[in-house]
Each structure stands twice: as structure tokens, then as C-alpha cells.
Amino acid sequence: MERKKILKRIIEEQNNIIENLENSVARYKIASNLEENSASDPEELSHQAEAKDMQLRYENMLRIEEQNLAFVETEMEENHTEIENGALISTEKNYLFVGISVPVFEFEGKKVVSFSDDAPIFKIVEDKKIGDTIMMGDQKLEIKSIN
């Protein structure tokens, strides 16, 4: 039950990230279109190219974040027994979600920290089992459950 509630919160955070990226794409699209219609000197053309480049970068980030959202949504009905993408790890102080990164938030008095399998922390936790301890910063935490 806590897994679904935490994943719903992660989805909310991910939707916020997506909304911000959509707003950035729209801003740069407007900027590149405005300058496109009035660009006549090299400096204006340069600004147009910069705005278009930023638009494309934000569109790429948006695609990645939409894929991340789809991943979390598919994880709603999953359950894990090993630390892998999609696993939710519970310690006495934190919940750790492996798969995507969103800002840290609190859930029932514990911080929820999410990260991808590319993050350095994944190398620390990936081979651990229930009852093992991990170091997060200066905190020694015991793994209580994996699901």
C-alpha cells in the first residue's frame, strides 16, 4: 500500500517537472519564431539560433521525462524483491526509489529519495539485501524492506 502511495507522489513530482519543461519549450519556441520573422542582422540571427537550440534541448529533456513518467506508471502494479529499477527500498529513516530522480519529499515522516541506476548511490545499494546496512552521507541505514 505504501508503495502505491509513494509512487503516486513521485508521479505528481514528475508531472511538475514535465509541466515546467513544457513551459520552457513554449517560451523558446515563441522566442525563436519572433526573431525568425524580424531577423535581418547577424546578431538577431544568432539569438534566433540560440533560442531554437534551447527549444530543441528542452524538447529532448521533455521526451526523456515523459518516458520516466511512463516507467513509474507501469511500476504501480509491480513488486520487487531485489534492488533494481523500480524497487522501493525502506530504511528506518528513508524510502529510496530506484528508477528516476525527482526532488526529495516527505511521506509519513520519512524522506523519499529517488535516483536512477546511473547515480553513484545505486552502486552502493545494488547488491544489498533486507537486513544489510548502507551508508547515505554520514548515516548508516538498515534496509527494512524491498518492494
Side-chain angles (χ1 to χ4, degrees):
M1 189 59 132
E2 69 188 19
R3 177 180 168 79
K4 283 188 178 187
K5 288 180 183 176
I6 291 170
L7 290 182
K8 283 181 182 179
R9 285 284 309 278
I10 290 172
I11 288 170
E12 288 173 15
E13 293 294 329
Q14 189 65 14
N15 279 324
N16 290 337
I17 291 168
I18 288 170
E19 182 180 338
N20 288 335
L21 287 170
E22 288 171 338
N23 290 338
S24 294
V25 167
R27 267 194 318 275
Y28 282 110
K29 190 177 279 191
I30 289 169
S32 68
N33 287 341
L34 287 177
E35 293 171 6
E36 190 175 286
N37 295 330
S38 63
S40 59
D41 70 47
E43 187 175 333
E44 287 177 354
L45 290 172
S46 173
H47 289 297
Q48 173 194 354
E50 288 173 14
K52 191 65 170 176
D53 182 52
M54 291 303 293
Q55 175 192 339
L56 294 174
R57 288 181 192 203
Y58 277 106
E59 286 173 344
N60 187 47
M61 291 186 328
L62 178 59
R63 275 191 299 278
I64 291 167
E65 296 304 337
E66 288 171 338
Q67 291 169 354
N68 287 342
L69 175 62
F71 164 73
V72 177
E73 289 173 339
T74 63
E75 282 296 317
M76 289 296 286
E77 301 304 320
E78 298 294 322
N79 210 2
H80 298 267
T81 56
E82 297 178 357
I83 297 176
E84 60 190 346
N85 264 339
L88 180 66
I89 306 158
S90 177
T91 73
E92 61 272 15
K93 294 184 179 180
N94 300 27
Y95 291 103
L96 309 173
F97 179 74
V98 181
I100 71 168
S101 180
V102 298
V104 174
F105 61 89
E106 290 227 357
F107 177 80
E108 296 182 358
K110 291 184 179 183
K111 288 186 178 180
V112 177
V113 179
S114 60
F115 52 89
S116 74
D117 60 354
D118 294 331
I121 182 96
F122 182 73
K123 298 294 178 212
I124 295 169
V125 301
E126 74 176 320
D127 295 324
K128 302 294 183 181
K129 307 282 183 231
I130 295 171
D132 289 349
T133 57
I134 57 172
M135 289 299 293
M136 262 187 74
D138 60 352
Q139 294 183 354
K140 188 175 183 178
L141 304 170
E142 180 183 345
I143 296 174
K144 301 290 187 182
S145 68
I146 302 169
N147 54 34

